[in-house]
Every structure is written in structure tokens, then in C-alpha cells.
Amino acid sequence: MVLKEVPLYFNESMRLPPEVAEFVTDMNQRIDNFLEGKPFAEKGFVACDHELIARALISIRDQQLLSGNEMCEWGSGFGGVASVASFLGFEACGIEINTEVLQHSIDLANEYDLDVDFVEGSFLPEGSDDLVDQAYRENDGDITLETHFDDAYRDLAKDISDFDLIFVFPWPNDAPLLSRIFDRYASFGSILLTYNDFSGLKVERKIG
Ligand SMILES: C[S@@+](CC[C@H](N)C(=O)[O-])C[C@H]1O[C@@H](n2cnc3c(N)ncnc32)[C@H](O)[C@@H]1O
């Protein structure tokens, strides 16, 4: 694996652009409404800290860490990270397997007139089944993400190697698999931004 961690320095109380702050507040309220009364993390959906990720995206953009502006949110849920990226000038999209949360992401993007593509399907590319099998073996069968493969990239008319930045909020047991997928399929120089409930965010660049 040739991913190199990139330090990202930013002020965690940096003010967000007002339109981004307003969007995130609205989305967080909708997520709270959606989750109310549901069992914890129903169907694998739980939301990241969108304010933190918005600040990270601004820093990545302003520090010119990317050679292009194509981004994809793997498992996009309510689509918050891809939508914020779109506000910030990225060419953004998201892939989500749960149709109910996917619909929320599409509704939000439409209401805010955002040019962001959300497609239904799996972000696991066809041909990565050996990596999925390895993850099952290493975790004694305990994998949280949906492990089937389909044509989400065809629907987007893009490959993983087209993205300059991929964001994912994996369950801890799934994180090594997603790093390996990125390592195999992403283009050199592109960045994987990962959020973790406990350790916060990590920025890694594919260097070899
Ligand atoms: C931890 S949630 C993160 C949601 C969102 N990215 C965020 O940060 O708020 C993980 C999401 O990945 C979705 N998911 C799980 N396996 C998937 C797969 N193979 N392809 C696409 N989405 C998947 C789940 O339905 C869930 O919405």
C-alpha cells in the first residue's frame, strides 16, 4: 500500500461561508428527524461531523493539495459532504446504496440548486471481490458495509481514477478495505479523506 498521510492544518473554529453553514444546519436537522425513534445507525447510516469536514475541504482547496476538482463521496448518506464540496466549487458526486437516504440527498441538492450527482449503487468497483474476501477473512466475517458490486460508476460515467478527492466515513472494521480499494483504483496524486468518530479525519495521498 502506498498511501502517504498529508498533514492538514486548519483552525477548527474557522467560520464557514454563510450558505454552507445554513445548508449544514438544515441538513443536520433533517438527519435528526430521520433518525428519531430509529434503532442506532439503522442500515449502516450515521452522519459525519459536517462542519469539520467542510473546514477540511476548504483547507484542501485553499492549500491547493489537489491537481483537479473532481470529488466523490463513497456511501453518501444525506449527501452532505458532496453537497458542501459543490458549494465550495468542486465537481461533486456521491454513491449511496440505501435508497431512502439517497432520496434525501437528492431532495436537498435540488432544493439548494446544487449541481451534484447522487447515484444509487455500490462504490465497490467490479473486480474488487478479492479485497472484499480478504476483509471478510481478516474480520471473521464482520463487515458493516454492503459488499455487492454494481454499475454506479457507469451511471456516473466516471471511474475511480477520475477523482482527485474521495471522501468516506467507514465503520472502523471496514476502513482497511476502503484504503485498499483506493490504493488499487485511484489515480496517483489523488487524495483519500477519511472521517472517524474517534480519531477525527485523515488525509492520505496515493504516491505510488
Ligand atoms: C457511516 S455512513 C456515512 C454517510 C455520509 N457519508 C456521512 O458521512 O454523513 C455510511 C453510508 O454508506 C452507505 N453504504 C454502505 N455500503 C455501501 C456501498 N457498498 N456502496 C454505497 N454506499 C454504501 C450506507 O448506506 C451509509 O449511508
Side-chain angles (χ1 to χ4, degrees):
M1 174 118 46
V2 203
L3 302 186
K4 187 174 188 299
E5 190 156 354
V6 180
L8 189 69
Y9 304 105
F10 61 94
N11 177 353
E12 295 204 5
S13 50
M14 173 208 301
R15 281 175 82 89
L16 296 175
E19 65 279 15
V20 172
E22 185 193 327
F23 172 84
V24 170
T25 302
D26 182 7
M27 180 188 58
N28 285 342
Q29 185 58 59
R30 295 183 198 208
I31 291 172
D32 286 348
N33 295 345
F34 172 76
L35 290 176
E36 196 179 344
K38 292 201 170 73
F40 176 68
E42 185 179 33
K43 295 182 187 160
F45 173 71
V46 62
C48 68
D49 177 342
H50 284 91
E51 281 91 356
L52 177 69
I53 300 299
R55 291 182 179 106
L57 290 174
I58 290 170
S59 305
I60 288 170
R61 182 194 65 186
D62 294 352
Q63 291 173 33
Q64 301 184 345
L65 297 183
L66 303 171
S67 52
N69 75 337
E70 296 264 355
M71 85 76 69
C72 182
E73 181 173 9
W74 278 350
S76 40
F78 271 60
V81 176
S83 292
V84 167
S86 178
F87 272 114
L88 298 175
F90 288 85
E91 189 83 28
C93 65
I95 302 172
E96 172 56 53
I97 212 155
N98 175 328
T99 51
E100 196 180 358
V101 291
L102 174 78
Q103 191 56 52
H104 283 286
S105 69
I106 293 169
D107 293 346
L108 264 163
N110 287 340
E111 283 177 44
Y112 283 82
D113 208 14
L114 295 172
D115 185 14
V116 49
D117 252 355
F118 289 110
V119 300
E120 179 180 355
S122 175
F123 57 73
L124 293 174
E126 285 167 350
S128 58
D129 32 331
D130 59 320
L131 297 180
V132 171
D133 291 346
Q134 179 185 359
Y136 272 114
R137 280 195 307 278
E138 290 175 354
N139 288 284
D140 292 327
D142 183 18
I143 292 288
T144 307
L145 60 80
E146 298 284 343
T147 55
H148 67 265
F149 312 89
D150 61 27
D151 289 340
Y153 297 101
R154 202 165 307 159
D155 289 347
L156 284 169
K158 286 190 175 133
D159 292 320
I160 294 179
S161 59
D162 290 324
F163 298 115
D164 305 289
L165 173 67
I166 289 178
F167 169 79
V168 69
F169 173 17
W171 291 87
N173 50 338
D174 298 338
L177 167 61
L178 299 185
S179 295
R180 287 176 191 141
I181 299 272
F182 180 83
D183 185 44
R184 179 182 288 178
Y185 293 97
S187 57
F188 296 120
S190 61
I191 281 186
L192 178 64
L193 173 62
T194 312
Y195 176 77
N196 178 298
D197 262 338
F198 305 105
S199 52
L201 56 85
K202 185 152 88 170
V203 182
E204 294 167 292
R205 188 188 295 285
K206 178 168 171 176
I207 57 162

